Amino acid sequence: QVQLEESGGGLVQAGGSLRLSCVASGRTFNNYAMGWFRQAPGQERKFVAAIDLSGNDTHYTDSVKGRFTISRDNAKNAVYLEMNSLKPEDTAVYYCASGSPDLSRWFRGGQGTQVTVSS
């Protein structure tokens, strides 16, 4: 597994944008699919987006389709989440996680980064 560290969260008004970054340690980053999850207060952690090893295949939960874009840079051991047209309901702690190549299993993520969208 890899160690992960998220950054890029903050406070933004509705309609605004943020770009989250997640940097992984270790030399095996290319062996893992990567994903973003989020957890709002009082709720369970939920899937947001995922990207395969090559970066050619992406998946999104319905509520963020067309607004969020996941990408990865294997040379930098990094995965990103570009978030546009943010809504108050996007407010949550966002976590990145590594996963199995077929996206069927997810491993422990980082410490998370807080995203707060004001109305």
Side-chain angles (χ1 to χ4, degrees):
Q1 295 186 24
V2 295
Q3 300 297 316
L4 304 169
E5 182 173 357
E6 304 92 339
S7 63
L11 173 63
V12 63
Q13 290 186 335
S17 298
L18 283 174
R19 187 186 192 225
L20 305 184
S21 299
C22 173
V23 178
S25 63
R27 301 181 179 180
T28 59
F29 179 77
N30 293 11
N31 293 342
Y32 297 96
M34 297 298 298
W36 285 97
F37 296 77
R38 65 187 179 186
Q39 188 167 17
Q43 297 185 22
E44 62 183 13
R45 193 170 300 188
K46 298 179 180 179
F47 170 79
V48 175
I51 190 166
D52 71 349
L53 275 65
S54 66
N56 293 327
D57 188 29
T58 58
H59 302 268
Y60 300 92
T61 192
D62 287 345
S63 62
V64 308
K65 286 180 179 177
R67 299 189 298 123
F68 290 12
T69 302
I70 188 171
S71 61
R72 67 188 294 164
D73 186 337
N74 287 340
K76 296 182 178 179
N77 280 13
V79 61
Y80 308 100
L81 187 67
E82 185 76 32
M83 305 186 296
N84 298 314
S85 301
L86 282 162
K87 304 176 181 180
E89 52 263 45
D90 294 318
T91 295
V93 178
Y94 283 71
Y95 302 87
C96 69
S98 57
S100 59
D102 63 358
L103 307 181
S104 64
R105 290 181 298 129
W106 294 100
F107 310 120
R108 180 177 295 182
Q111 294 299 308
T113 185
Q114 175 71 49
V115 172
T116 303
V117 184
S118 64
S119 58

